[in-house]
Amino acid sequence: MHKDIATPLRTQEILKKYGFSFKKSLGQNFLIDPNILRNIVSYADLTEDSVAIEVGPGIGALTEHLARSAGQVVSFEIDQRLLPVLEDTLSPYDNVKVVHSDILKANVAEELSSEFAKYKDIMVVANLPYYVTTPILLKLLMEKLPIRGMVVMMQKEVADRISANPGTKAYGSLSIAIQYYMKAEVVMTVPKTVFMPQPNVDSAVIRLTRHAEPPVHVIDEEFLFEVSRSSFAQRRKTILNNLQSQLPKGKEKKEKILEALAECGIDPTRRGETLSIIEFGQLADALYPTFR
Ligand code: SAM
């Protein structure tokens, strides 16, 4: 086995060799602890039959651990300066493809078309750039790629919101958007000291596992997310007030909103944060004929 990239000494050597300076604007905080990397990869349950999609390989710290466990790794990196570095650090591995692209603009399905044919199992495993965590997760989920799940490091506060249960302060439209597709669990909290440079915020690793069946079947997923976003627009307001002010012509259609709430057995004075995903799904379907 080759010497790990993610030791403080080797990372420093690589950065020095290439005269690399970190770009804060790209969320560049590299992992320098091989134990954390081993733990992240173990949560992904990868095998020879797996392809791992990585967002932001950096200098390859996590990538090489993925290459050792998965059949194939496809890594998307936005920073051109890292391409020659990765070519060097990942040269011992013949099962890694680095794609130079902003993940938000990439056609992931096309980049992975040959892998989809060959590998049965697809996982996203990444130490995400924190400034775009939510758009990246939503893009990968909404594109309906056949992903089994994700094991991803992010800002702890975002991990708490994603995995939150109804009735808690952290619960909101992000919890619903993600938990509609996947079961969400925080599996590790991670100290700042394992990064170079150290981030200003605490970090956590979240594991997402696709539901065999969504928790509720709805007429229109997009509309479910619109109803949940509307319901949390002002957290202190009741669900009725939020829906009236956020849905198109909601004020004029108060009676219809009240009827839909009654049909679902939801008290109009409740706040959005008390509704489960199942209740949001039922409510979205009851509102659908009036607002879509
Ligand atoms: N995986 C490496 C590690 O754990 O040490 C680096 C993780 S670092 C937190 C995030 C990486 O994502 C950086 O390499 C950064 O250049 C890259 N990145 C930032 N924005 C990106 C985007 N929109 N698309 C693809 N990569 C991006």
Side-chain angles (χ1 to χ4, degrees):
M1 194 168 297
H2 300 276
K3 213 165 68 167
D4 271 338
I5 295 168
T7 62
L9 198 66
R10 176 108 195 270
T11 298
Q12 249 150 7
E13 271 171 24
I14 295 166
L15 297 175
K16 198 166 158 212
K17 178 171 170 191
Y18 289 91
F20 185 82
S21 53
F22 294 100
K23 269 198 192 153
K24 220 177 160 182
S25 62
L26 291 180
Q28 290 179 337
N29 300 94
F30 296 168
L31 279 165
I32 50 164
D33 184 335
N35 288 321
I36 298 275
L37 290 162
R38 271 190 286 275
N39 284 336
I40 293 174
V41 174
S42 73
Y43 280 115
D45 292 325
L46 300 170
T47 70
E48 286 285 287
D49 290 327
S50 313
V51 51
I53 304 176
E54 187 192 15
V55 180
I59 59 170
L62 175 59
T63 325
E64 75 170 350
H65 283 262
L66 294 172
R68 290 173 192 158
S69 299
Q72 176 72 39
V73 185
V74 181
S75 299
F76 293 84
E77 175 56 62
I78 197 171
D79 188 347
Q80 184 156 22
R81 300 173 306 154
L82 289 166
L83 301 188
V85 185
L86 288 164
E87 191 149 333
D88 176 4
T89 58
L90 298 176
S91 60
Y93 306 95
D94 59 7
N95 58 344
V96 179
K97 171 174 154 187
V98 176
V99 181
H100 175 220
S101 172
D102 176 346
I103 186 72
L104 296 177
K105 296 187 182 143
N107 185 338
V108 180
E110 197 173 288
E111 293 294 349
L112 272 97
S113 51
S114 53
E115 278 75 18
F116 285 155
K118 210 159 137 209
Y119 294 93
K120 293 185 203 78
D121 180 51
I122 301 164
M123 279 296 283
V124 174
V125 189
N127 170 19
L128 292 172
Y130 292 178
Y131 74 106
V132 275
T133 299
T134 309
I136 292 173
L137 294 180
L138 292 179
K139 174 191 164 111
L140 293 171
L141 289 172
M142 309 272 170
E143 282 194 354
K144 305 254 181 278
L145 302 162
I147 293 170
R148 168 168 57 93
M150 306 193 196
V151 177
V152 277
M153 171 105 75
M154 62 187 68
Q155 187 174 338
K156 183 172 178 303
E157 185 252 320
V158 180
D160 288 341
R161 284 200 281 129
I162 287 175
S163 58
N165 290 320
T168 63
K169 230 173 122 187
Y171 184 66
S173 51
L174 182 62
S175 329
I176 291 156
I178 306 268
Q179 290 177 31
Y180 176 74
Y181 296 105
M182 303 229 172
K183 174 177 147 202
E185 318 153 82
V186 173
V187 289
M188 267 162 77
T189 52
V190 180
K192 294 174 184 163
T193 46
V194 301
F195 297 92
M196 184 188 290
Q198 294 188 14
N200 298 323
V201 292
D202 290 327
S203 300
V205 175
I206 208 162
R207 176 168 61 187
L208 303 177
T209 313
R210 185 177 295 284
H211 301 300
E213 282 290 317
V216 57
H217 287 276
V218 290
I219 304 169
D220 180 344
E221 288 174 7
E222 272 302 309
F223 187 61
L224 160 65
F225 300 139
E226 187 183 329
V227 168
S228 83
R229 275 195 306 272
S230 302
S231 306
F232 288 102
Q234 285 189 269
R235 295 187 73 97
R236 294 166 59 90
K237 279 193 175 180
T238 64
I239 181 126
L240 174 63
N241 281 341
N242 270 327
L243 292 174
Q244 266 191 275
S245 64
Q246 299 297 315
L247 291 176
K249 299 204 177 136
K251 290 219 164 48
E252 293 165 35
K253 296 181 179 167
K254 181 178 175 186
E255 284 311 312
K256 293 281 185 195
I257 299 175
L258 281 168
E259 271 172 35
L261 287 163
E263 190 184 319
C264 304
I266 298 169
D267 182 334
T269 63
R270 280 172 65 184
R271 289 187 184 154
E273 68 197 38
T274 68
L275 268 68
S276 67
I277 296 190
I278 296 175
E279 286 178 307
F280 272 117
Q282 291 164 343
L283 181 58
D285 278 7
L287 290 166
Y288 188 84
T290 308
F291 292 98
R292 272 292 159 100

